[in-house]
Amino acid sequence: MKSPLAATLSLLAGLAIMAGSGQLLADPIASSAKPLALRSIMKDLGKNAQAITEGISHEDWPQVEKAALLIADHPQPPLSEKMRIMSFAGTRIGKFKSYDGETHDAARTVAKAAKAGEGEGVILAFQKLQTACHNCHREFRKPLIEHFYEGR
Ligand code: HEC
């Protein structure tokens, strides 16, 4: 029979191997090297938010409207990924969804103001939009990256 110390050591070694291969805490499917669709959706949101800032500087309201509508109607991750995100967020999924909802609403308001050529309205609504982006990032970005990308 193993001594209690040896048993503890082999248990620890086993745990270290599991943690190293990301099986302890991470999403089990996360070991694939492929980034989430969410990441490329986010990259596009970032580009469109930049297009809005640029459009505001040039008072190019059609450009602002177009970029805002692309944010409002951004594509969604495939269902399987949504389920992974839901299981990651657990009981906080309601908050995640409500930040997404705020983003869509604010983007629509930006588009509406841009269509009417109301610069101040655009800027006010754009501030709300960025606040919605930021709120979600502040709360979910780091834990999501740790969960899906750093547990390998
Ligand atoms: C509901 C939550 C949520 C909202 C709302 C949200 N984001 Fe994100 N965003 C995330 C998460 C989570 C990540 C980290 C994703 C990753 O690294 O795979 C992220 C990452 C990003 C990135 C970095 C992507 C990269 O290259 O790694 C950009 C840029 C970005 N978001 C822009 C935006 C903009 C602009 C908005 C608002 C118009 C927005 N996001 C709204 C959750 C959100």
Side-chain angles (χ1 to χ4, degrees):
M1 213 182 109
K2 279 181 179 177
S3 73
L5 177 64
T8 308
L9 285 178
S10 65
L11 178 65
L12 283 178
L15 284 175
I17 289 164
M18 281 165 71
S21 64
Q23 290 175 351
L24 207 54
L25 298 168
D27 180 333
I29 338 178
S31 46
S32 74
K34 222 170 132 227
L36 298 181
L38 180 73
R39 186 168 280 180
S40 79
I41 294 169
M42 285 298 152
K43 282 191 208 282
D44 286 343
L45 290 187
K47 281 184 202 146
N48 286 315
Q50 269 174 10
I52 292 178
T53 330
E54 209 181 88
I56 292 172
S57 317
H58 294 114
E59 292 167 282
D60 183 346
W61 308 123
Q63 173 176 328
V64 172
E65 186 190 2
K66 191 176 147 217
L69 288 175
L70 286 172
I71 292 178
D73 302 325
H74 73 75
Q76 303 205 5
L79 187 63
S80 58
E81 184 175 307
K82 276 196 194 167
M83 292 176 67
R84 292 171 69 191
I85 293 173
M86 274 168 71
S87 93
F88 147 74
T91 54
R92 293 189 303 159
I93 191 66
K95 289 195 89 180
F96 191 86
K97 285 189 174 161
S98 81
Y99 292 141
D100 185 47
E102 281 169 32
T103 302
H104 289 272
D105 292 348
R108 287 204 183 287
T109 312
V110 172
K112 226 171 138 187
K115 192 176 181 137
E118 290 164 359
E120 255 179 71
V122 165
I123 290 164
L124 274 175
F126 186 52
Q127 194 195 338
K128 281 210 180 120
L129 177 61
Q130 291 201 300
T131 305
C133 311
H134 178 63
N135 281 341
C136 190
H137 292 158
R138 199 174 50 185
E139 192 166 332
F140 288 103
R141 191 201 307 241
K142 195 166 172 274
L144 182 138
I145 288 177
E146 280 170 2
H147 180 87
F148 287 109
Y149 294 101
E150 287 172 5
R152 290 185 204 148

